[in-house]
Amino acid sequence: MPRPYPPAPEGRNGFSQCEKGGGGRTGRRGYRRAIARGDGMGRKGGIDQEAGDAGGGVRRIDHTWIPLSDGTRLAARIWLPEPMDAGPVPALLEAIPYRKNDLSASGDAGRHAYFAAHGYASVRVDIRGSGDSDGVLDDEYTAQEQRDAVEVIAWLAAQPWCSGRVGMFGVSWGGFAALQVAALRPPELGAIITVSSSDDRYADDVHYMGGCVLAYFMLSWATTMHLFATLPPDPDVVGPEWRERWLERLERARPMIEPWLGHQRRDEYWQHGSICEDYAAVECPVFAVGGWADGYRNTVFRLLEHLACPRLGLIGPWSHHYPEEPVPPGPAIGFLQEALRWWDHWLKDRDTGIMDEPMLRSWMQDAAEPRPSYDERPGRWVGEPSWPSPNVAPRTLALTAAGGLDGDAGPAATVAVRSPQSHGAHAGDWDPFGNPADLPPDQRAEDGKAVTFTSEPLDAPLAILGRPRVVLELASDVPQALVAVRLCDVDESGASALITRGLLNLSHRNGHDRPEPLTPGEVVPVAVDLKAIGQVVPAGHRIRVAVASTYWPWAWPSPEPATLTLHVGGATALELPVRHLDAAEPSIGGFEDPERAPRPASATLHLEPGNHLITEDVGAGRHQLVHAYPTHHTLDLESGIEVRWREPDTFTVVEGSPLSAQVRCERSVTLGRGDWSVRLEADATMTADAEAFHVTHELRAYDGDVPAYSGAWSFRLPRDGV
């Protein structure tokens, strides 16, 4: 779910305005690659662009129609090697809804032209109902979208410039799509790269977390996707019919919050598109990539463990971006060179050494003072021959009656926790994009709103790699409750840095497909899986487990305030995946510096960086958090397209009143070129009573300054064990 922001200043809140590149150099295992660099990105009409002295030339075809069997046409932009003296080449496909002509054009150019300069036909397709393609975008990851991709792959393989072998790649939506299409086994698909994606649409996406409604993103992403589904095609591509097609989208597309919030348990709706339902269906090689600051890193571990096909995993310190992007936290790496090693091995039968790498390469983060952003996160690369890894062993620490973490459980006792509704205000972004306030700051204020269990100072460094788990025995005084668990690194000064965390809707304790209300007062065992992490806690620091009964605005509150009674001194414990560390173990390292093709020149006319703004009305007990994504106005100097984008989310709750929780999402986007200008405005709210969620959504569209459409929706969706 990447928000495809246009270029911004180097290294902060987006992408670089100009690419510097560098000469060719010797890569891993001596496999030599050169950068594709040059003076520009070509012009409309597919005019050739030169990629520089180190790589080959590239010809860009700005628009091609790909016909489907039902008469629908998908819009594609194609980058081809120039000249093609060596004959047909493999094709690479990225199919996403983020508009090839404008919103994703800059990032597309940096990758697709790079691959083309190194001997691939690289193709970027607007999926059905998005960008310039025909149709209406109904939902995420539909069966129709997957069938379309299979047809596109066959079409690519049949082109005279294609060798008949195809790869598929993408970040977020594109990474999901690559996995889902791989499970359909189109014969032409030779390998995929999936970045920041999920094999389980219910467990690890923007809708639910641990069976809790993800208030932070559920309505937010639904509102944003309604804009992507209702923006018009480009008149320069489709001609005068653009307005008729725009009105069709406006009238037919519905807010996606309806199906997402209408399926609150893990049912057939979420099983569709979740390849974890049948890992054996994926037979082509898979390169899975994630970042410790990204919301989707659990997927890499599950894919490595459960797939039987050739596979590799790579996890760095990154947020929700491709790893070559200069976006915090770094360090960025030469990921496109690694991708070329992968493609050349599987699509060109070349020995690049890529399959000699460890199955999992991960950035083992060092401790760092808690801050909402890091330009670079210190650490080093380590390698695992398999996953589960022989280098990782479990370690269990009991939560004790004295508030400690120890190998000895100690005497039995009970501890009550009733967290204020404001617990979670300093959680940071569920899925960071590299903005200045995305990461969680010092957790001491949060720790004070939870029950904490803290170890003695460590006498040796502790390296964690994998998914920690906290096992609890607890009782609730109400039938519907949740538990939030955080794992923190506490330094000598007392500063508390978040390591990782997890949520669990307690009615889902026996499975996300069958909610079961709690019996008040009954003690039940539960296990809370935390997000995967790779981090070293140094000697002298302490580790802390914090347990709370709220986590707003990440988790939608339970219908009434809950008091949880923890039973410690028995099976209640922290289970850690501890990696063996040897000071003499060399870092596997060796990644090249990032390389990308030049991108279209652009101008940032206005930019307000993203931020989290927290306010508190002490007298009224009212807490408010505004999550402001970057507000920007940019101009693509090549195409002449201007983009204005604004999308704040506001989360409000009153202390002691979980039914006061409200989310409001505001959206405004303007696209224009010359005399053509369109604007969409959306405003959505979400509240709940004890029985149901209530959602309102309004959309207004303008052709220039003239109103073109107005729509309003209202949904009442019964609470189903949440």
Side-chain angles (χ1 to χ4, degrees):
M1 45 156 289
R3 283 168 168 79
Y5 296 127
E10 177 76 34
R12 299 296 296 184
N13 310 313
F15 306 133
S16 60
Q17 291 180 312
C18 54
E19 309 300 326
K20 296 181 179 179
R25 58 179 293 183
T26 301
R28 299 180 59 79
R29 300 288 188 266
Y31 189 64
R32 187 172 180 80
R33 276 296 171 197
I35 187 172
R37 68 173 188 257
D39 298 327
M41 291 305 299
R43 293 178 294 278
K44 299 288 281 186
I47 302 299
D48 292 3
Q49 61 171 335
E50 293 304 320
D53 57 351
V58 174
R59 181 167 69 97
R60 191 183 79 198
I61 303 170
D62 276 5
H63 175 70
T64 295
W65 289 118
I66 298 178
L68 301 179
S69 58
D70 66 356
T72 300
R73 302 170 304 167
L74 299 187
R77 178 168 287 181
I78 302 174
W79 291 258
L80 295 173
E82 183 72 15
M84 296 189 66
D85 295 340
V89 297
L92 304 177
L93 170 64
E94 183 178 24
I96 52 178
Y98 304 132
R99 303 181 60 85
K100 65 179 177 60
N101 289 1
D102 38 66
L103 296 179
S104 72
S106 177
D108 292 346
R111 286 177 291 277
H112 288 276
Y114 185 90
F115 291 143
H118 291 85
Y120 289 87
S122 204
V123 182
R124 171 57 180 86
V125 170
D126 285 339
I127 67 171
R128 182 185 295 246
S130 70
D132 298 322
S133 292
D134 293 346
V136 175
L137 181 57
D138 297 316
D139 200 354
E140 299 176 315
Y141 318 124
T142 64
Q144 182 65 62
E145 178 190 337
Q146 294 164 18
R147 291 193 296 269
D148 290 351
V150 170
E151 288 197 54
V152 170
I153 288 170
W155 184 90
L156 293 174
Q159 298 309 299
W161 36 257
C162 182
S163 66
R165 304 174 79 173
V166 180
M168 191 170 179
F169 72 96
V171 62
S172 197
W173 190 303
F176 278 72
L179 279 173
Q180 293 163 5
V181 173
L184 299 179
R185 288 176 277 189
E188 305 87 355
L189 186 62
I192 68 168
I193 297 177
T194 179
V195 183
S196 297
S197 72
S198 181
D199 58 334
D200 189 329
R201 293 182 56 217
Y202 185 87
D204 277 308
D205 200 5
V206 297
H207 316 96
Y208 298 90
M209 182 176 176
C212 300
V213 172
L214 195 55
Y216 192 85
F217 259 130
M218 174 77 82
L219 183 65
S220 175
W221 189 236
T223 310
T224 296
M225 278 310 306
H226 198 64
L227 295 190
F228 280 112
T230 53
L231 281 167
D234 190 334
D236 275 11
V237 172
V238 304
E241 68 181 61
W242 75 270
R243 199 173 193 278
E244 178 182 348
R245 291 177 53 189
W246 183 32
L247 292 175
E248 178 191 18
R249 290 179 180 180
L250 288 166
E251 292 168 356
R252 290 180 53 193
R254 290 177 61 83
M256 297 180 189
I257 187 74
E258 184 178 20
W260 298 350
L261 193 54
H263 294 267
Q264 294 163 29
R265 61 180 73 190
R266 194 179 185 281
D267 57 14
E268 293 84 356
Y269 178 83
W270 301 109
Q271 291 166 6
H272 165 76
S274 294
I275 69 149
C276 62
E277 295 294 309
D278 182 12
Y279 286 110
V282 178
E283 296 180 348
C284 75
V286 174
F287 190 179
V289 183
W292 296 132
D294 180 55
Y296 294 88
R297 68 247 198 190
N298 296 333
T299 303
V300 176
F301 292 92
R302 289 195 296 261
L303 292 177
L304 296 184
E305 180 174 2
H306 297 294
L307 290 178
C309 58
R311 58 206 184 276
L312 290 179
L314 175 66
I315 306 181
W318 314 300
S319 56
H320 198 66
H321 289 282
Y322 282 104
E324 78 275 9
E325 300 290 356
V327 178
I333 65 167
F335 177 67
L336 295 185
Q337 298 97 299
E338 290 298 293
L340 283 171
R341 295 175 69 209
W342 176 261
W343 299 131
D344 283 0
H345 181 94
W346 293 110
L347 301 183
K348 292 186 176 179
D349 300 320
R350 294 179 179 174
D351 182 8
T352 67
I354 188 72
M355 297 310 293
D356 297 329
E357 303 291 354
M359 178 182 283
L360 173 64
R361 290 172 286 173
S362 63
W363 183 254
M364 184 64 73
Q365 299 181 135
D366 291 334
E369 63 175 308
R371 294 204 307 266
S373 180
Y374 303 92
D375 287 338
E376 290 202 355
R377 185 65 189 257
R380 63 170 176 148
W381 291 102
V382 298
E384 314 304 328
S386 60
W387 193 264
S389 172
N391 299 323
V392 177
R395 182 180 301 178
T396 299
L397 296 173
L399 280 58
T400 71
L405 281 175
D406 203 319
D408 181 6
T414 60
V415 181
V417 54
R418 186 185 180 97
S419 302
Q421 297 298 328
S422 59
H423 177 253
H426 293 283
D429 196 328
W430 182 89
D431 192 30
F433 288 82
N435 292 304
D438 275 2
L439 303 181
D442 194 323
Q443 297 289 286
R444 278 179 283 193
E446 300 282 69
D447 293 349
K449 299 174 181 179
V451 170
T452 60
F453 302 86
T454 307
S455 74
E456 294 298 319
L458 301 178
D459 56 10
L462 177 69
I464 304 167
L465 181 61
R467 296 196 69 177
R469 168 179 284 189
V470 173
V471 177
L472 301 171
E473 292 183 334
L474 56 79
S476 169
D477 65 341
V478 294
Q480 182 62 51
L482 66 88
V483 63
V485 179
R486 290 177 291 113
L487 178 64
C488 297
D489 171 1
V490 182
D491 69 15
E492 294 89 346
S493 73
S496 180
L498 185 84
I499 298 174
T500 184
R501 57 202 148 182
L503 297 173
L504 181 63
N505 175 350
L506 292 173
S507 73
H508 287 220
R509 62 195 179 278
N510 295 320
H512 296 308
D513 59 338
R514 51 185 188 281
E516 301 174 26
L518 296 158
T519 299
E522 179 183 351
V523 179
V524 295
V526 299
V528 184
D529 290 313
L530 313 187
K531 282 185 174 286
I533 194 64
Q535 187 163 323
V536 177
V537 182
H541 285 209
R542 297 173 291 162
I543 56 174
R544 172 175 293 162
V545 169
V547 181
S549 58
T550 60
Y551 206 52
W552 175 260
W554 277 32
W556 196 273
S558 304
E560 52 188 326
T563 298
L564 303 180
T565 301
L566 308 182
H567 290 250
V568 298
T572 300
L574 166 67
E575 299 176 356
L576 288 174
V578 176
R579 189 188 188 277
H580 170 72
L581 279 185
D582 185 340
E585 178 185 4
S587 173
I588 61 172
F591 291 108
E592 297 183 356
D593 294 334
E595 296 178 351
R596 294 171 294 177
R599 298 182 177 186
S602 65
T604 300
L605 306 178
H606 177 74
L607 176 64
E608 298 174 21
N611 202 359
H612 278 178
L613 306 173
I614 300 173
T615 59
E616 180 180 7
D617 183 333
V618 176
R622 184 173 180 266
H623 305 274
Q624 184 176 90
L625 183 149
V626 178
H627 179 201
Y629 293 100
T631 295
H632 54 74
H633 178 193
T634 58
L635 170 64
D636 186 316
L637 297 174
E638 180 192 72
S639 68
I641 294 178
E642 287 188 62
V643 178
R644 292 179 174 88
W645 193 285
R646 177 178 177 271
E647 52 175 337
D649 295 337
T650 303
F651 305 92
T652 306
V653 72
V654 174
E655 195 56 64
S657 178
L659 296 181
S660 68
Q662 180 187 77
V663 179
R664 182 185 179 194
C665 303
E666 302 168 79
R667 301 289 183 268
S668 176
V669 58
T670 302
L671 290 178
R673 180 201 298 109
D675 294 334
W676 174 65
S677 177
V678 297
R679 184 170 84 254
L680 291 178
E681 297 175 349
D683 196 328
T685 62
M686 178 173 166
T687 60
D689 56 33
E691 288 77 37
F693 291 97
H694 301 273
V695 178
T696 63
H697 183 101
E698 296 180 2
L699 180 69
R700 298 171 296 278
Y702 299 85
D703 185 351
D705 292 326
V706 179
Y709 173 85
S710 178
W713 296 262
S714 179
F715 305 109
R716 180 188 184 277
L717 300 163
R719 298 180 79 140
D720 181 18
V722 295

